[in-house]
Amino acid sequence: INKTPLGSTIITCAAIDDITAWCLLAVVIAIAKAGSVGSSLFVILLAIVYIIFMFKVVRPFLKRIAEFQTSKHIINKSSVGIFFIVLFLSAYAADVIGIHALFGAFLAGVIMPPNVNFRNLFTERLEDVALILLLPMFFVYTGLRTEIGLINEPYMWGICGIIILLAVVGKTMGSAIAARFVGYNWKDSLTIGALMDTRGLIQLVVLNIGLDLGILTPEVFAMMVVMALATTFLTSPLLTLIEKVFKKKNAGVN
């Protein structure tokens, strides 16, 4: 699917979805930490100034470094060090402002130079450490914080089931209806909906932040993690079901 136009559409939708989620998350964190409307507006204003500074000042600076480095087809240790410093300072600034440090790290990634060659070189430097060490550690961390035993009553499992149902129907059918509205056929629309229903890393990041801020209780956190896992596991069966239904439909028409 990834090599088809439909796959490109789904990846683009997922990217926009993640960016929107990060922006909404920053606003929610600002309001939760500020404690009052006036304070939250001040935090949001500081966040806007911070974002403008990152795009207008820091990004051009990094772009010049990238252009110099990619002309050699290498990234030396000094340049890697500069980019890591930008990453840490951005995360620290976001935390000081009152939004989560993860938002600062995310923004540091967004403002990285658009040069494809540079991004490939920089990704090669980071990919092994991120995928082999950091990503598994994050999942272990999330797993250790998930206390499934807290969902110990039938009514709590009922609530968990309702959360899963709303998540599946809301994301799958919402995306499918939107895709159908812009001209996709029902098969492609439902495929888009099924793949958009997959809860990725961002979901777990948001849940962990919600737990840290006290917005989510440990019980709700556990339910939401179960929902994230269930909706992700449902993706493959949903795609198989969609394929079978439309295959039979086309066979009947023929």
Side-chain angles (χ1 to χ4, degrees):
I1 295 177
N2 186 44
K3 297 178 181 179
T4 66
L6 181 64
S8 300
T9 300
I10 295 167
I11 291 174
T12 303
C13 291
I16 295 173
D17 185 54
D18 286 348
I19 292 172
T20 305
W22 277 108
C23 294
L24 292 174
L25 179 62
V27 174
V28 171
I29 293 172
I31 295 172
K33 283 190 173 183
S36 65
V37 176
S39 298
S40 63
L41 290 175
F42 179 70
V43 171
I44 293 173
L45 179 62
L46 285 179
I48 293 173
V49 173
Y50 152 69
I51 292 171
I52 293 173
F53 175 80
M54 293 293 285
F55 273 95
K56 296 297 184 180
V57 178
V58 179
R59 190 179 193 186
F61 169 70
L62 296 179
K63 184 178 180 181
R64 286 195 294 270
I65 295 177
E67 289 172 350
F68 174 73
Q69 290 299 322
T70 51
S71 64
K72 297 181 179 179
H73 301 288
I74 60 170
I75 299 181
N76 59 39
K77 294 180 181 179
S78 298
S79 298
V80 173
I82 290 173
F83 285 104
F84 269 108
I85 290 173
V86 170
L87 166 64
F88 294 138
L89 289 178
S90 178
Y92 178 72
D95 194 56
V96 170
I97 288 171
I99 53 180
H100 204 277
L102 279 170
F103 182 81
F106 171 76
L107 186 60
V110 171
I111 67 165
M112 287 295 166
N115 187 296
V116 175
N117 189 31
F118 166 79
R119 285 179 175 260
N120 290 336
L121 290 171
F122 196 59
T123 300
E124 289 176 2
R125 287 290 190 101
L126 298 179
E127 191 171 25
D128 290 341
V129 176
L131 295 181
I132 296 174
L133 179 63
L134 300 180
L135 188 60
M137 286 180 64
F138 175 77
F139 282 115
V140 169
Y141 173 71
T142 303
L144 289 172
R145 305 184 82 190
T146 305
E147 302 178 55
I148 300 296
L150 294 175
I151 314 176
N152 54 8
E153 298 289 341
Y155 83 92
M156 296 183 73
W157 280 109
I159 294 173
C160 185
I162 292 173
I163 291 173
I164 294 173
L165 178 63
L166 290 174
V168 172
V169 173
K171 197 73 175 284
T172 303
M173 295 310 300
S175 300
I177 292 172
R180 183 73 180 119
F181 180 76
V182 297
Y184 284 91
N185 59 46
W186 273 115
K187 180 183 178 182
D188 289 345
S189 298
L190 291 171
T191 299
I192 291 173
L195 288 170
M196 288 295 292
D197 189 47
T198 302
R199 261 59 176 190
L201 182 62
I202 301 300
Q203 175 87 12
L204 297 180
V205 170
V206 172
L207 291 177
N208 275 284
I209 293 174
L211 184 63
D212 289 337
L213 294 176
I215 298 173
L216 300 178
T217 64
E219 293 82 0
V220 174
F221 177 80
M223 292 179 187
M224 296 298 285
V225 170
V226 170
M227 179 273 293
L229 295 175
T231 51
T232 301
F233 292 149
L234 279 172
T235 301
S236 183
L238 280 176
L239 289 175
T240 302
L241 178 62
I242 291 168
E243 186 66 30
K244 287 183 178 180
V245 168
F246 282 91
K247 188 175 182 179
K248 289 181 178 179
K249 184 178 178 180
N250 291 334
V253 172
N254 293 333

